[in-house]
Amino acid sequence: MKSVPRLAVLGSGKGSNFVAIQEAIQAGRLAARIGLVVSDLADAPILTRAAAFGLPTATLPPSPFRTKLSPEGEAALVELLRRHEIEWVILAGYMRVVKEPLLSAFPNRIINIHPSLLPAFKGLRAWEQALAAGVKETGCTVHFVNRDVDAGEIIAQERVPVLEGDTPESLHARIQAAEHELYPAALAGLFGQSS
Ligand code: GRF
């Protein structure tokens, strides 16, 4: 049997992008396999959703910093990913900045999705930034992860209109619907498959 890329999905939240990726795999739109789902938060819904698909899960031990892992914590994560023979690290709502040694362990193999048309609106709650800026259009971006937050090479983008009367919630929901299409399709393109 032809081997397919083996992914780990890292998330801190509800895991809707993880579900979109797993469903694309199951539907045959993405030839890949999720070998591990990891969260830095023990009660993150992404872990229960992964377990419901029968996928292996892991929780990272508490870190002394809120926005990143300690170098030792990241080294343990690299070890965990190696043990599961992971080839690609897929960030899906993972709320820690990726540092060393993870970056060097997976060069050009760490991918993220961000809820704006990068380089616009980097950082947290990008949909609120878009509303505050009064733009008529925003979107989502799949990109490589490097040491600069939300600044790695762009792989794919999808535009989303900002509508009259949008609230942060309505705009975020529209962006997320676009993310659920874009992320699996961008990964399929990246792995050299048609989606
Ligand atoms: C997404 O909106 C993504 O753009 C951002 O975090 C959110 C994760 O949502 N990086 P979910 O956990 O996949 O539902």
Side-chain angles (χ1 to χ4, degrees):
M1 200 176 98
K2 187 172 165 288
S3 78
V4 296
R6 198 168 159 84
L7 321 180
V9 179
L10 270 57
S12 311
K14 63 185 198 292
S16 68
N17 280 284
F18 150 71
V19 170
I21 292 167
Q22 174 64 12
E23 287 182 347
I25 291 172
Q26 290 181 338
R29 285 183 284 120
L30 173 62
R33 185 186 167 89
I34 297 178
L36 185 64
V37 176
V38 184
S39 184
D40 54 331
L41 301 176
D43 58 355
I46 190 173
L47 292 174
T48 8
R49 297 179 100 166
F53 281 107
L55 294 171
T57 63
T59 304
L60 302 175
S63 165
F65 314 106
R66 201 170 51 84
T67 57
K68 61 180 182 180
L69 300 182
S70 63
E72 300 73 32
E74 246 194 29
L77 171 58
V78 169
E79 191 49 43
L80 176 71
L81 298 172
R82 295 256 189 260
R83 262 205 317 278
H84 284 80
E85 299 179 343
I86 297 304
E87 297 164 294
W88 292 84
V89 178
I90 309 301
L91 308 185
Y94 179 66
M95 297 305 285
R96 311 262 177 169
V97 177
V98 174
K99 303 267 184 190
E100 294 298 348
L102 185 55
L103 286 169
S104 298
F106 291 88
N108 291 318
R109 292 280 179 119
I110 308 176
I111 313 297
N112 184 40
I113 187 157
H114 183 79
S116 75
L117 293 175
L118 289 173
F121 311 129
K122 296 176 180 175
L124 294 176
R125 305 184 75 83
W127 59 94
E128 286 183 1
Q129 297 182 48
L131 270 185
V135 293
K136 295 274 172 275
E137 187 178 72
T138 181
C140 47
T141 302
V142 175
H143 64 95
F144 287 101
V145 172
N146 64 18
R147 56 197 309 206
D148 303 314
V149 176
D150 299 332
E153 186 191 334
I154 291 172
I155 297 164
Q157 293 186 305
E158 184 67 40
R159 294 163 184 276
V160 172
V162 180
L163 302 181
E164 196 69 38
D166 255 340
T167 61
E169 293 70 32
S170 64
L171 180 56
H172 189 209
R174 194 175 309 117
I175 293 171
Q176 283 228 298
E179 289 183 337
H180 301 156
E181 299 298 320
L182 183 70
Y183 213 173
L187 293 177
L190 191 64
F191 302 152
Q193 307 148 2
S194 58
S195 65

